[in-house]
Amino acid sequence: EEKEEKEEEKEKVEKLLQSEEVNNSSQQTKEIEFLATAVQFSTIVEKGIVSIEVLMHSAIASDVLEALQVFTCGRQFQVCGTEKSLMKALNLVWSTNPTIQEAVVESFQRLYINPDRLAAAEQQGKLRVFSLAIARQLTELLEGVDLGQFISLEKMI
């Protein structure tokens, strides 16, 4: 689905570039160039995600930790494809390396539970509302998981 959307966006931009209806004003030209660059950047990021996923299976802990950090940051900025990669990272909670285990738990807590915001909500008397939002996020997260991912999430929580 995501790839189809990207292809559609790319086709729209290309049509705009080739269209006779496009006014030659510099503002429109700049906007079109920006959109074309954004589509190219998105395509490059998507290809990079596949390469970074390979690092999650590395025997070198720093490779795994860096890949996890990339996906966590990508998820925070809603980069396409990082959600799926994070779901694959769930199995790292069973790693024999305690640093990797801790990093996975920390990553998912930061993304889905956010202890800092939880504490702030408690101080503001909005703990119930925030807790419901967390429960909703976790429920949505569970909708697309397989049994192994579910068990990994269960271990973390």
Side-chain angles (χ1 to χ4, degrees):
E1 290 178 22
E2 294 171 6
K3 287 185 179 182
E4 290 175 9
E5 290 175 9
K6 296 289 180 188
E7 287 298 319
E8 288 176 14
E9 288 177 21
K10 188 176 181 179
E11 289 174 13
K12 287 180 185 177
V13 171
E14 288 173 359
K15 285 179 184 177
L16 275 174
L17 288 171
Q18 297 171 356
S19 173
E20 293 177 17
E21 297 176 20
V22 174
N23 187 344
N24 286 333
S25 76
S26 63
Q27 180 64 25
Q28 283 182 329
T29 304
K30 288 178 184 178
E31 288 175 5
I32 292 169
E33 288 173 356
F34 172 79
L35 291 172
T37 303
V39 169
Q40 288 173 338
F41 176 76
S42 179
T43 303
I44 291 168
V45 168
E46 281 183 30
K47 290 177 183 175
I49 286 173
V50 174
S51 300
I52 296 170
E53 277 183 7
V54 172
L55 293 175
M56 285 194 306
H57 304 291
S58 174
I60 301 168
S62 62
D63 289 349
V64 177
L65 296 172
E66 289 297 323
L68 185 60
Q69 186 174 8
V70 166
F71 294 133
T72 302
C73 289
R75 170 65 175 86
Q76 287 175 317
F77 289 101
Q78 300 176 347
V79 173
C80 237
T82 54
E83 179 89 27
K84 289 180 183 179
S85 299
L86 274 171
M87 297 311 289
K88 293 176 184 178
L90 277 173
N91 294 330
L92 294 174
V93 78
W94 303 103
S95 172
T96 56
N97 185 326
T99 306
I100 293 173
Q101 288 178 353
E102 290 171 18
V104 172
V105 171
E106 182 181 305
S107 173
F108 276 84
Q109 282 181 345
R110 185 169 15 144
L111 291 171
Y112 297 102
I113 298 174
N114 200 332
D116 296 333
R117 288 187 59 206
L118 188 61
E122 186 174 19
Q123 289 177 348
Q124 296 172 358
K126 298 179 181 180
L127 183 60
R128 186 174 191 276
V129 173
F130 191 72
S131 297
L132 287 172
I134 290 172
R136 189 176 321 112
Q137 280 184 317
L138 290 173
T139 302
E140 290 172 4
L141 181 65
L142 289 173
E143 288 177 1
V145 299
D146 61 28
L147 182 59
Q149 293 166 333
F150 179 81
I151 293 169
S152 297
L153 279 169
E154 185 179 46
K155 179 181 180 183
M156 283 193 286
I157 296 173

